[in-house]
Amino acid sequence: MFANRVTAKLLAATAMAFSVLNVQASAESLSEAFKSPPMEAKPRLRWWWPGDAVTDVELRREVQLMAQMGFGGAEVQSFSPNFVKLTPEERAVVNDYAEPSFFAHLRAAADAAKSAGLSLDYTLGSAWPSGGGEAIPPEKAFTELAMARTMVRGGTSGPIKVEQPKRTKRLGALNFFDPRTKDPKYADWGKRMDARARTVAVVAMKGSAPDLKKRGGMNGMTISPWSDVLTSGTLDPASRIVLTDKLREDGTLDWSLPPGEWQVFVFRQFASDVGVLGSAGRGPQLILDHTDPTAFAAHAARVGDPLGKNPPGMRSTFVDSLELMQDIQWGPKLLEEFKKRRGYDLTPYLPFVVQPGWMQAWDEHYSLPYFDAANSDIAERVRADYRHTVSDMIIAGFIEPFVAWNHAHGLKAKFQAHGGAFDTIRGYGLADIPETEDLVHSGDPLFMRLARSAANLYGRRIVSAESLVWPDRAYSVTPTEMRRRTDLIIAGGVNSMILHGMNYRFHAEDWPGWHAFQPSPFSLGFSGPLNETNPVWPAMKPLAAYMGRLQAVMQAGEPVVPVAWFYGRYGYYIGIEDDGAGKQAGEKAFLAAGYDFDRINPDSIAQARVEGRRLISKGGHAYGVLVLPPIDGIRADTMEAIAGFAKAGLPVFFTDHAPRRDEGLADAKKRDARVKKAVDAAMKAGAKIVPAAEVPAAIRAAGVTGNLRFEGDASDLVFVQRLVDGQTVTFVHNRSDSARNVTLSLPGMGGVTRWNAMDGSVRPVSASATADMTRLPLSLASGESALLVLDPKARPQTLAAPALIGSATLPAEGWALSVSGHVARKPYAHDFGKVALQDWSKVPQLAGFSGEASYSRSITVDPSWFKQGTRVSLDLGQVYDMATVTINGRTLPPVIAAPFRLDVTDALRPGANMLKVTVANVPQNGMIDPSNPAFKKLKPVAAGWVGAGRLEASR
């Protein structure tokens, strides 16, 4: 009965979502989309341009190349080619970004894309964060708040000398090394930046100083002035005094201290001199004020308006993760906006806002705050109100204007909401295409679910991801790793990958040509040059087909996500909810119990409703349960909405304890009482407090449908699921370093097929029906995935596994070897004659080689293997990094990822056969150059065909 009930609920919930978004797909259309993915399902490339140093001819050629390789389009990112020696003439052309010639080139590329059936996204600005050029003068640059603290003992008469805040020195936009800043027309920009400096507040409170860790830089750069905190200082809010008008110009404070130990704080606003990173374009490259909509308008007028409306061949404009580097997140009108939005003056409470690591660009992490309030939660409330206000201002000042600008120009808005000090889920949800990325914790699928959550909450069909990004590995990422990372990204809820990335062909004579993130004397760069000059470029076509098949399935039908898991914080980093432990315990527990989840924010709760005991988001997705993590504070209106959900029949669970108070400070007593009253109402209506370890069991006991059930060790198995015209499509990935062998149970009864996205084949798998569920054994090697489709119109069946009838190990010696590629970045070709299979590191001439190597020799195949019904496979063994097999003159599709195994039945003949195996390795070894400051840091990696290969016949 349980399975009947949960299956009915599953079907009802997804049918409701179907009616909202009207994107149903039949079994036939799903199969057809898998075999031949539509253009929207194909992966896209981040396409790096060297500013405006491009030609229409080359742009058109590269668009055609993308189409031929199976990509659906590209995202144009115009960069300055740093660490490449440019002539003055080249530099001038690079900096013609955003000039009429640049937009002419962009239109030519977009026209070519449209003609090829592709489309382009365009980064709205050169590099990131947004800004640059004369459109963003000092008056529209973003600001930060700096703090200086002086500890003094009271009982003495003033004036007293206090520390003054200083602007944190970073590599600024007006630095001496950038020739663009030397134009006389910008001579006064430094003074105009300085003119924006002002003292915002001087505040004194009784209390103790924090105990701090020693602070270090990052690669020699100062990221933040703050040290992490071992023990927070304690302040007495009742003693707070605002002394701003007592500060003299000489830095002394005209104030006689009352008795006690005092902390005196000076807060000063500065226009930040951090520049747009790697930007092309004329003039200084200041970052715009993301709290000022007029700054965005000026920026868009420069880098976007020349496109016109409804530009042909263009799908969207894009903004990368904000990563604003500020001492304290700030805007010139923050105090004014804070008082208007939160109902009190932040000034006397400013010492409480500093918490190192909170949305600290490039280094988000948990630390204790510098100061807490003595015997009070006032400091926590102030920080929540401050972050709420920063979030509101960035959304109103930048994100909403960005979305509105796109819509006014007939374009979609694509946006990365992570890395910003605002409501992350709302930021994703405001965009037409929310985009996550896999750089965070090496492709964490739980983090990537934030973007998928927003898509379900706000009604967005596409979930995009900046994909295949590895730090410190500009040239060493293998196709095997790309395939494995692809699966991890899909398991994170993504259905549209943007590969990082394809470089415009620039300085190609210096192999492998310009790479936007190539190593430098300061950094090993980022992956990866997905270009023709990369020896493993031929792997991109089968890899693109693999991605396209997976994404076609993941864009069909509707996602099945039964759990809404509350998230009420501002900004996000892994560890923000458990004081830096980063265990993600709740998320992992849901998946282990077979429940997928979305994070739901207060904005979405305010717009949701309950129908049929299900929580229906604004976007139409139906959740079976709402779970809150163990939190003390929550907005009163959010808790009241949750109480209403419970009264309407929605199962609601509080983990460990219910919220105890409102999150903010204004009218705290009244708002706390509202929270308590709403919690009581929810509990009376059936909401429950459940220990964390028992939450999944409580959800199941409440009759909430799970996606699936595991028997056996399912740790590190992640999954996503969709319902497509009654078929249940489940993608399971093993992210662990060891194999997993489990029994998987899916709701409902039906036949199960396993769809191979690498070759497009579909085969039935053994399954059985038990208590209205379908059970099947599932074995996944480390990094392996399974795409399973349960069809209720088919019957489960038991299938006999093919029997091995013969095998033969390929000879390890006697292979004719010829190579062509590069050594120390110079061309190299050689015919080695007969060799043995081994890692190229053992061959002096090949230790620094990157390119293609062809191994060939005759092999003999047992004639008895050619009886009807016998299939012969070739397992190449260990390959670095891809291989193409030719048998008797017939070239088979490349094998690009482990296990390097392919069916060779139709290419073989009894007796003697000529076998040729062409191996290509990544560029890394060929890039090592001891004479080059950047490339000498690269380390050699395994390369070549090591073997041992094996033929196996099965029937």
Side-chain angles (χ1 to χ4, degrees):
M1 287 298 292
F2 168 76
N4 276 332
R5 183 170 70 251
V6 298
T7 302
K9 288 181 178 179
L10 179 65
L11 294 173
T14 51
M16 183 181 300
F18 277 163
S19 66
V20 174
L21 293 183
N22 192 29
V23 288
Q24 298 185 49
S26 68
E28 293 78 12
S29 65
L30 178 64
S31 178
E32 187 59 34
F34 182 72
K35 293 176 182 176
S36 181
M39 196 61 70
E40 185 67 17
K42 294 181 179 181
R44 304 166 82 88
L45 288 160
R46 179 165 285 185
W47 191 12
W48 294 303
W49 291 12
D52 193 34
V54 297
T55 68
D56 290 351
V57 171
E58 178 61 18
L59 292 173
R60 294 187 185 105
R61 189 192 72 82
E62 293 186 14
V63 167
Q64 286 300 317
L65 183 61
M66 295 175 198
Q68 292 165 11
M69 296 297 284
F71 291 96
E75 171 195 289
V76 176
Q77 281 227 13
S78 184
F79 272 75
S80 177
N82 294 318
F83 308 112
V84 173
K85 188 174 182 179
L86 300 178
T87 65
E89 293 76 18
E90 284 180 315
R91 179 66 67 185
V93 175
V94 164
N95 286 327
D96 279 341
Y97 168 78
E99 299 301 320
S101 59
F102 171 81
F103 289 105
H105 290 314
L106 186 58
R107 280 188 285 270
D111 288 342
K114 183 179 179 182
S115 297
L118 281 60
S119 63
L120 297 184
D121 303 323
Y122 162 59
T123 303
L124 196 64
S126 176
W128 82 103
S130 300
E134 294 185 10
I136 305 301
E139 292 73 25
K140 293 193 178 298
F142 83 122
T143 60
E144 61 185 335
L145 192 66
M147 180 185 82
R149 175 183 60 87
T150 305
M151 184 178 72
V152 291
R153 296 194 179 277
T156 59
S157 59
I160 58 172
K161 185 72 174 178
V162 293
E163 293 290 327
Q164 298 297 305
K166 298 178 181 178
R167 177 189 287 149
T168 299
K169 292 184 178 180
R170 304 181 179 97
L171 186 58
L174 302 181
N175 71 83
F176 175 80
F177 300 102
D178 188 344
R180 291 173 292 187
T181 65
K182 298 176 182 179
D183 189 311
K185 70 169 70 174
Y186 311 121
D188 67 341
W189 277 38
K191 292 181 179 180
R192 288 163 62 183
M193 293 280 286
D194 293 341
R196 296 195 68 195
R198 66 181 180 89
T199 298
V200 171
V202 180
V203 179
M205 276 194 244
K206 284 185 178 180
S208 61
D211 183 14
L212 304 176
K213 294 182 183 178
K214 184 177 180 180
R215 178 171 57 85
M218 179 181 290
N219 292 328
M221 294 179 59
T222 299
I223 303 301
S224 167
W226 312 121
S227 299
D228 281 359
V229 178
L230 296 170
T231 304
S232 297
T234 301
L235 300 176
D236 176 12
S239 68
R240 65 190 185 274
I241 305 174
V242 177
L243 301 166
T244 312
D245 60 349
K246 304 291 186 181
L247 184 66
R248 296 175 176 175
E249 290 186 5
D250 64 359
T252 58
L253 191 63
D254 189 11
W255 181 53
S256 297
L257 282 74
E261 184 177 296
W262 290 82
Q263 305 293 329
V264 180
F265 304 88
V266 180
F267 294 91
R268 191 163 175 80
Q269 171 189 290
F270 293 101
S272 177
D273 68 342
V274 179
V276 183
L277 301 172
S279 59
R282 298 179 184 176
Q285 302 292 302
L286 299 176
I287 296 171
L288 66 83
D289 182 353
H290 285 63
T291 68
D292 180 2
T294 69
F296 172 81
H299 174 68
R302 169 180 173 252
V303 303
D305 284 359
L307 286 172
K309 294 187 177 181
N310 304 303
M314 301 285 291
R315 180 181 72 155
S316 75
T317 73
F318 167 66
V319 168
D320 213 321
S321 51
L322 299 191
E323 301 174 28
L324 299 177
M325 206 172 288
Q326 299 164 289
D327 286 8
I328 300 173
Q329 287 81 1
W330 195 251
K333 296 183 178 180
L334 192 139
L335 289 178
E336 175 187 338
E337 289 293 322
F338 186 97
K339 190 168 186 178
K340 181 169 64 177
R341 295 170 184 269
R342 306 284 87 85
Y344 65 99
D345 183 8
L346 176 63
T347 304
Y349 300 102
L350 277 171
F352 291 126
V353 305
V354 176
Q355 184 168 9
W358 178 73
M359 302 323 298
Q360 184 172 304
W362 298 8
D363 190 26
E364 293 100 338
H365 66 278
Y366 177 80
S367 166
L368 292 169
Y370 262 44
F371 293 95
D372 268 325
N375 304 312
S376 169
D377 56 18
I378 285 178
E380 294 177 26
R381 293 175 185 261
V382 169
R383 283 190 288 272
D385 284 338
Y386 160 72
R387 294 170 184 180
H388 191 176
T389 304
V390 171
S391 175
D392 287 349
M393 292 181 68
I394 294 177
I395 287 173
F398 184 82
I399 302 174
E400 288 178 335
F402 165 66
V403 174
W405 182 91
N406 275 280
H407 293 176
H409 289 77
L411 295 163
K412 293 181 179 179
K414 186 161 74 80
F415 181 61
Q416 291 186 359
H418 50 278
F422 51 85
D423 179 341
T424 305
I425 295 172
R426 187 180 175 202
Y428 281 130
L430 287 170
D432 302 297
I433 304 175
E435 181 168 298
T436 183
E437 66 174 280
D438 71 340
L439 182 59
V440 177
H441 285 242
S442 301
D444 179 25
L446 308 182
F447 160 76
M448 287 188 279
R449 270 171 167 71
L450 289 171
R452 196 276 308 271
S453 300
N456 290 340
L457 293 168
Y458 291 86
R460 311 304 186 209
R461 190 175 66 87
I462 299 298
V463 182
S464 181
E466 177 185 343
S467 305
L468 309 187
V469 189
W470 279 264
D472 301 327
R473 296 187 60 194
Y475 301 111
S476 65
V477 177
T478 69
T480 290
E481 293 174 298
M482 295 181 198
R483 195 280 307 158
R484 182 168 177 164
R485 180 64 66 83
T486 294
D487 291 1
L488 194 61
I489 292 168
I490 295 294
V494 171
N495 60 16
S496 181
M497 294 173 60
I498 315 291
L499 308 192
H500 190 277
M502 183 178 184
N503 301 282
Y504 176 88
R505 195 172 178 86
F506 187 63
H507 281 216
E509 70 283 353
D510 185 14
W511 183 84
W514 170 64
H515 170 41
F517 290 96
Q518 67 190 48
S520 73
F522 314 104
S523 167
L524 288 175
F526 292 84
S527 61
L530 304 181
N531 294 73
E532 302 152 285
T533 55
N534 188 330
V536 298
W537 169 251
M540 291 301 105
K541 188 168 186 176
L543 186 63
Y546 177 79
M547 295 172 176
R549 293 185 186 106
L550 288 177
Q551 293 181 168
V553 172
M554 292 302 151
Q555 290 180 12
E558 293 301 320
V560 181
V561 183
V563 177
W565 174 230
F566 180 71
Y567 184 74
R569 297 175 186 255
Y570 306 96
Y572 181 87
Y573 58 84
I574 295 170
I576 194 172
E577 296 179 277
D578 59 4
D579 294 349
K583 294 180 178 179
Q584 301 170 296
E587 294 91 322
K588 292 176 180 177
F590 290 136
L591 293 180
Y595 286 93
D596 201 357
F597 65 90
D598 281 336
R599 304 308 303 262
I600 185 169
N601 59 333
D603 183 65
S604 295
I605 282 178
Q607 301 180 77
R609 66 188 189 281
V610 173
E611 293 181 6
R613 301 187 72 240
R614 290 201 136 17
L615 183 66
I616 312 301
S617 73
K618 175 186 176 182
H621 190 82
Y623 300 95
V625 62
L626 173 62
V627 182
L628 280 74
I631 54 176
D632 289 332
I634 190 171
R635 299 183 207 171
D637 55 343
T638 300
M639 190 59 239
E640 288 165 347
I642 292 171
F645 298 157
K647 291 177 184 177
L650 177 72
V652 174
F653 295 104
F654 302 110
T655 304
D656 291 339
H657 63 82
R660 301 182 176 102
R661 59 171 177 80
D662 186 83
E663 69 172 26
L665 181 60
D667 296 322
K669 187 174 182 179
K670 291 182 180 178
R671 297 178 69 85
D672 291 354
R674 287 172 57 191
V675 170
K676 185 179 184 303
K677 182 178 179 181
V679 168
D680 291 342
M683 297 288 289
K684 185 176 180 180
K688 296 179 180 179
I689 299 173
V690 180
E694 300 174 16
V695 168
I699 293 173
R700 201 175 302 281
V704 178
T705 305
N707 299 82
L708 46 81
R709 292 188 186 181
F710 292 115
E711 298 171 43
D713 182 7
S715 57
D716 289 320
L717 293 183
V718 289
F719 62 86
V720 288
Q721 193 175 75
R722 300 184 79 85
L723 195 68
V724 186
D725 195 35
Q727 295 181 109
T728 302
V729 179
T730 306
F731 182 80
V732 186
H733 173 66
N734 178 14
R735 65 186 295 205
S736 75
D737 293 328
S738 57
R740 292 289 181 266
N741 299 292
V742 299
T743 297
L744 182 67
S745 295
L746 298 169
M749 291 190 296
V752 180
T753 50
R754 185 166 178 171
W755 296 28
N756 185 337
M758 191 59 74
D759 63 13
S761 63
V762 175
R763 62 176 179 83
V765 297
S766 290
S768 61
T770 305
D772 292 337
M773 299 191 81
T774 300
R775 302 175 77 246
L776 63 148
L778 182 63
S779 296
L780 296 175
S782 173
E784 187 182 4
S785 302
L787 178 61
L788 304 169
V789 179
L790 185 149
D791 186 352
K793 298 177 182 177
R795 295 175 62 85
Q797 53 184 314
T798 301
L799 304 169
L804 182 67
I805 63 170
S807 64
T809 301
L810 298 181
E813 298 181 342
W815 295 88
L817 173 62
S818 61
V819 305
S820 178
H822 290 81
V823 172
R825 302 175 62 216
K826 303 299 181 184
Y828 176 83
H830 189 68
D831 187 339
F832 285 85
K834 299 294 180 66
V835 302
L837 301 181
Q838 60 182 325
D839 191 308
W840 292 346
S841 64
K842 298 178 181 179
V843 182
Q845 301 95 317
L846 297 179
F849 173 79
S850 180
E852 283 192 350
S854 293
Y855 298 82
S856 58
R857 65 161 293 155
S858 177
I859 61 171
T860 301
V861 180
D862 188 337
S864 68
W865 290 4
F866 291 85
K867 294 181 181 180
Q868 187 174 3
T870 301
R871 305 303 298 178
V872 182
S873 62
L874 171 59
D875 187 334
L876 292 172
Q878 194 65 58
V879 174
Y880 301 103
D881 294 296
M882 65 170 290
T884 302
V885 173
T886 302
I887 300 177
N888 301 323
R890 178 177 176 179
T891 300
L892 303 176
V895 279
I896 65 170
F900 293 92
R901 188 181 182 94
L902 68 163
D903 190 315
V904 294
T905 307
D906 298 333
L908 290 174
R909 59 194 178 208
N913 291 259
M914 180 53 67
L915 172 62
K916 178 175 142 180
V917 179
T918 301
V919 173
N921 66 325
V922 295
Q924 179 88 354
N925 292 347
M927 294 297 301
I928 298 172
D929 183 353
S931 66
N932 186 292
F935 300 130
K936 71 179 183 180
K937 297 181 181 180
L938 301 176
K939 304 299 182 183
V941 296
W945 183 19
V946 180
R950 187 176 183 82
L951 286 168
E952 294 183 346
S954 301
R955 186 181 303 132

